[in-house]
Amino acid sequence: MNISAFGLSAILTLLIAIPVMGTDAVFIAVPAIRETFSTDPGNIQLAMTSYILSFAVVQLLYGPLSDRYGRRKVLLASLVLFTLGSTLCATANSLGWLIAARALQGIGAGSGPTLARAILRDRHGAKQSIRLLSYIMAAFGVIAMIAPMVGGVLVENIGWPAVFILGSLYGAVCIALVWFGLEETRPTEWVAARGISSNFQSYAVLLKSRNFMLLAGANTAIYGAMFAWIAGAMFVLIEGLGQAASAAGIYYAVSVVGFVLGSALAGRLQLHLTPLQVIAAGIIICLAASIAGWSISGIRTPLAVIVPGFVVMIGIGFVVAPATALGIGPYPEMAGAASALIGFIQMAASSLTVLAVGYIYDGTAGPMMILMAVLCFVSLGFYFPFLGRLRERLISR
């Protein structure tokens, strides 16, 4: 296999976007699923949380396993699980079945973004991967923008199981692309040099790294704000404001345009600014927009919800790719483990955020925006130690 740089980027984008098939495309169906199983918002979010939490935990296995056995083998095995889990979700006839199938779907989805980031680090090194990941995240944002619109149409015209069938088809496409188009990128010398136990011991090294943990913390809090938005916006638009699922999907997609713009702009800004400066700007944008969204949450119109969300997503686009790449960059010999640990921390925290959104929802955007603002303050707290190093283009361990 001799894949072009563009072809590799396309495959990595699709792999990074696998979680979208279990989150953005599915959150639009949550009100309909809730109606089917006659339960409250908090309980129905358990089906979302089981996916996110299993997704988070399994990344801790995929990273070291891929460092030892190769990215490609691990990807193929996990993509089969994702496709199977998606199919089982579509056939669920009880909330318990759906929660279990969602957990399997999350287990299968966990390798996509984790190993895509590691593959990017394998091929392009620390410095170039920061810019490239920003552009890939912009392309990812396009998929995240389309998915809820398609999901809304499917829910209205076929029913909520159709969004899971969409996930099954997406998984099958990814399996074919990895099988036929993706070569192994992990350096072969690592196999002889490191045993599987030492691959898992990588986590001890990473957890002791102050820079790594601070970047992971700042990134995680901002990621949590994004999931608060994803989970809460659908409830506010569909149940609080009475919008149809297809209309809510379009409104949500507009906010995702902000993430696309933010990610693309972050890639461009890094030609003139350091990654640390771009991250700082993103956190401040998210915080200001969340506070503004809370201040106008009493205005019960879609625009009063979407406009602040749009700006928040711009800020998130500034933060996610640079913070992730900076965290992974200093660890070429354990790129899979570093990517996995970042992903685990992000998604474990986000699962709690999603659950919290279900229980604090009061029919307005107010609680969601407050939660987002709090998470932005937390992110700023993790980032504070870097303020004296804003001119550094790359950071050491």
Side-chain angles (χ1 to χ4, degrees), residues 22 28-29 41 58 66 69-70 110 116 143-144 148 158 160 186 198 209 216 248 321 323 329 353:
I28 199 76
V58 79
S66 76
Y69 296 109
I143 298 175
I158 301 176
W160 61 262
R186 178 214 50 191
S198 65
S209 169
T353 300

Side-chain angles (χ1 to χ4, degrees), residues 93-315:
N93 56 15
S94 69
L95 183 58
W97 180 333
L98 181 62
I99 290 172
R102 287 283 283 164
L104 179 61
Q105 190 188 30
I107 290 170
S111 72
T114 300
L115 301 191
R117 294 190 296 259
I119 290 168
L120 190 66
R121 175 63 179 81
D122 293 341
R123 285 287 296 266
H124 296 289
K127 186 173 181 180
Q128 190 177 4
S129 65
I130 295 176
R131 287 189 60 235
L132 289 175
L133 186 57
S134 292
Y135 292 129
I136 287 175
M137 291 304 290
F140 152 85
V142 174
I143 298 175
M145 178 178 62
I146 295 171
M149 292 192 292
V150 174
V153 172
L154 291 175
V155 170
E156 280 192 9
N157 293 280
I158 301 176
W160 61 262
V163 299
F164 294 111
I165 296 299
L166 176 65
S168 298
L169 295 174
Y170 190 94
V173 169
C174 287
I175 290 171
L177 289 173
V178 171
W179 182 271
F180 294 107
L182 187 63
E183 61 185 2
E184 183 56 58
T185 62
R186 178 214 50 191
T188 55
E189 62 269 19
W190 291 3
V191 178
R194 309 186 74 201
I196 186 64
S197 61
S198 65
N199 287 103
F200 281 96
Q201 289 168 8
S202 299
Y203 290 130
V205 175
L206 295 167
L207 289 170
K208 292 177 183 177
S209 169
R210 179 174 179 269
N211 285 343
F212 180 88
M213 294 306 297
L214 288 173
L215 284 168
N219 198 358
T220 293
I222 287 295
Y223 216 75
M226 179 173 69
F227 269 84
W229 167 252
I230 294 172
M234 294 302 102
F235 274 123
V236 174
L237 290 169
I238 295 174
E239 293 195 357
L241 299 178
Q243 299 294 307
S246 57
I250 293 172
Y251 281 125
Y252 172 71
V254 170
S255 75
V256 178
V257 172
F259 181 83
V260 176
L261 292 176
S263 297
L265 188 56
R268 295 290 297 174
L269 285 175
Q270 286 173 65
L271 296 173
H272 310 287
L273 303 175
T274 71
L276 289 175
Q277 289 170 339
V278 174
I279 295 168
I283 295 173
I284 292 170
I285 290 170
C286 289
L287 177 59
S290 298
I291 294 173
W294 167 75
S295 70
I296 62 172
S297 60
I299 303 174
R300 298 181 61 79
T301 65
L303 282 180
V305 178
I306 297 302
V307 171
F310 176 87
V311 180
V312 166
M313 294 291 269
I314 289 176

Side-chain angles (χ1 to χ4, degrees), residues 30-41:
V30 167
I33 297 172
R34 177 189 173 195
E35 183 178 353
T36 297
F37 297 122
S38 301
T39 188
D40 60 53

Side-chain angles (χ1 to χ4, degrees), residues 19 22-24 26-27 45-59 99 101-107 109-110 223-224 226-228 230-231 343-355:
T23 53
D24 302 53
V26 175
F27 276 120
Q45 291 291 30
L46 288 173
M48 307 302 113
T49 301
S50 69
Y51 169 88
I52 297 170
L53 193 57
S54 63
F55 180 104
V57 172
V58 79
Q59 290 179 89
I99 290 172
R102 287 283 283 164
L104 179 61
Q105 190 188 30
I107 290 170
Y223 216 75
M226 179 173 69
F227 269 84
I230 294 172
F344 165 74
I345 297 170
Q346 283 178 341
M347 298 304 287
S350 295
S351 70
L352 299 178
T353 300
V354 169
L355 196 59

Side-chain angles (χ1 to χ4, degrees), residues 209-219 274-277 279-280 283 323 326-327 379-392 394-397:
S209 169
R210 179 174 179 269
N211 285 343
F212 180 88
M213 294 306 297
L214 288 173
L215 284 168
N219 198 358
T274 71
L276 289 175
Q277 289 170 339
I279 295 168
I283 295 173
L326 276 180
S379 180
L380 200 58
F382 277 111
Y383 192 76
F384 186 79
F386 290 114
L387 292 181
R389 306 172 60 182
L390 290 182
R391 292 187 178 276
E392 296 184 30
L394 293 174
I395 62 173
S396 63
R397 303 184 182 195

